[in-house]
Amino acid sequence: MANFSSANYLNKVWILALVAFMVSCSQFEAPAPDNVNMESSEELAALRGLSSDMWNARTAGPVYLEGANNGGNVLCSEAADYFEVEGGFSFTSPDPEGQGGNKYLGGNTFSEAFPDGFTVTVTDNKFVSWSFEPVYIDGVKYCLKNLVVLVKGGPGANAYYYGNGETSDEGLISPPVGQGNTPDLSNLKLCYNLEPCDDEKCWEDETAWAAGTRYVTKGNWATYSSKSALEEGVTLFAGQTLAAGTVKLLNGEITITLNEGWRFADTDENVKIQHYSSTPPASNPEPGLFTTKGKANTSPYSISVPYGKFYGVHVDVERSVACPI
């Protein structure tokens, strides 16, 4: 029995020694950034000193991007491809962008001035803050439509994307190096688009219906759609001929997505839906009596609907038009 106890004791000693060795080795492993999407990692945000409020203020990011150029510099065109920015970016800083960004010289100093409207500050040579104020071009006030900030330090760059009206952020950093250390900022690049601010736009009310079969053949052009058509997705037509967006049915929910230049009208119950168990009656519909109603504020908008073989989908929208001079 004594020999067995001794062997058991020695086994335990060897196991503890092996565990200690593995832990000590792990301390010397240097994590390097990889080409993965890090935008959903709140743990990473906390590690980088970002508050949850600031994390949620971003549309996406940080995302580690590997550009085709040497040295870890990323082009605005590459960022546009990654974030699926239709038409790319019309403005870059520096311009022309080349391969590198606006070189950081320390403090709040860069090799080039940033474009009008932008204010950029750096804390501890690592943490970037930015803000934007509307600018006037040819007498018209312009706001940010979307923006990517490329933060370069060490061998790689982090990309931060803003596309939901954000006008400021803080705590932007380069990808970690070594044992999760944040490198000093090397250069910064802005990729962005501008659009006339809402108070510079004019809007025109329109009535929209999901494409399908007309309720009546003359007069009212209102339409209803079959369940199978909605499952494939149909066009949302405004004013009978203007494509305002799309309407799709999936898992008991109808989702309405508006095209650029359209928005939901600021009225109560701007979405009205009626389900039918059989072909709707050949009479003018009354959207005010439809059984499913909701108020959409932003696109896309989803709403649960009862089961039906046909649906009438009525939406109050507004179309961006040229303002009278």
Side-chain angles (χ1 to χ4, degrees), residues 206-210 221 236-239 244 262 313-317:
E206 296 282 359
T207 295
W209 291 87
W221 63 272
L236 179 70
F237 280 111
W262 294 84
V313 181
H314 173 277
V315 187
D316 294 316
V317 294

Side-chain angles (χ1 to χ4, degrees), residues 7 14 23 70 100 152 181 193 197 203 237 260 268 284 310:
W14 277 109
V23 170
N70 295 327
K152 169 72 166 59
N181 298 318
N193 289 308
C197 301
W203 298 88
F237 280 111
E260 186 172 352
D268 292 334
N284 289 331
F310 300 90

Side-chain angles (χ1 to χ4, degrees), residues 3-302:
N3 289 337
F4 175 80
S5 298
S6 253
N8 192 33
Y9 173 76
L10 288 174
N11 284 338
K12 289 182 178 179
V13 170
W14 277 109
I15 290 172
L16 290 174
L18 178 61
V19 170
F21 175 75
M22 292 174 65
V23 170
S24 65
C25 286
S26 68
Q27 293 176 348
F28 292 97
E29 293 177 359
D34 52 17
N35 191 22
V36 296
N37 188 328
M38 299 184 289
E39 63 189 71
S40 61
S41 173
E42 294 191 16
E43 182 178 350
L44 178 63
L47 176 66
R48 294 180 174 187
L50 306 175
S51 69
S52 59
D53 288 342
M54 275 301 165
W55 184 263
N56 293 329
R58 299 171 189 149
T59 305
V63 175
Y64 177 77
L65 295 184
E66 287 186 359
N69 298 301
N70 295 327
N73 289 304
V74 179
L75 296 173
C76 287
S77 56
E78 294 170 326
D81 289 341
Y82 182 88
F83 292 110
E84 299 180 349
V85 177
E86 186 176 352
F89 293 105
S90 299
F91 300 94
T92 65
S93 176
D95 180 26
E97 63 166 336
Q99 294 186 12
N102 196 343
K103 185 177 180 181
Y104 178 59
L105 302 178
N108 288 318
T109 306
F110 289 81
S111 60
E112 298 182 18
F114 286 100
D116 291 344
F118 283 99
T119 299
V120 176
T121 58
V122 182
T123 303
D124 297 333
N125 295 326
K126 305 177 188 295
F127 306 99
V128 176
S129 300
W130 69 270
S131 63
F132 180 83
E133 294 289 338
V135 294
Y136 284 86
I137 302 174
D138 295 330
V140 178
K141 185 166 69 171
Y142 282 84
C143 292
L144 271 181
K145 179 179 180 181
N146 45 37
L147 164 72
V148 167
V149 180
L150 297 170
V151 185
K152 169 72 166 59
N158 271 342
Y160 297 79
Y161 177 64
Y162 308 86
N164 290 324
E166 301 93 341
T167 58
S168 65
D169 200 1
E170 64 182 21
L172 283 63
I173 59 173
S174 307
V177 296
Q179 299 180 13
N181 298 318
T182 300
D184 285 352
L185 178 66
S186 172
N187 63 65
L188 193 74
K189 185 179 297 184
L190 305 178
C191 318
Y192 62 101
N193 289 308
L194 301 175
E195 63 179 354
C197 301
D198 281 342
D199 55 6
E200 293 288 320
K201 297 179 182 178
C202 291
W203 298 88
E204 189 173 88
D205 293 335
E206 296 282 359
T207 295
W209 291 87
T213 304
R214 289 178 61 158
Y215 284 87
V216 294
T217 56
K218 295 183 180 181
N220 194 328
W221 63 272
T223 52
Y224 61 87
S225 313
S226 68
K227 175 177 177 291
S228 59
L230 284 171
E231 287 173 337
E232 291 294 326
V234 302
T235 300
L236 179 70
F237 280 111
Q240 193 169 355
T241 60
L242 303 173
T246 58
V247 183
K248 190 166 187 176
L249 173 65
L250 179 65
N251 297 328
E253 279 191 346
I254 282 182
T255 298
I256 303 166
T257 305
L258 298 183
N259 293 336
E260 186 172 352
W262 294 84
R263 69 183 185 184
F264 292 106
D266 187 18
T267 59
D268 292 334
E269 299 178 347
N270 51 19
V271 174
K272 304 176 182 69
I273 302 172
Q274 181 62 51
H275 63 287
Y276 303 95
S277 58
S278 59
T279 303
S283 60
N284 289 331
E286 297 185 52
L289 300 180
F290 282 5
T291 54
T292 301
K293 300 176 183 178
K295 179 176 174 57
N297 294 309
T298 58
S299 173
Y301 171 77
S302 297

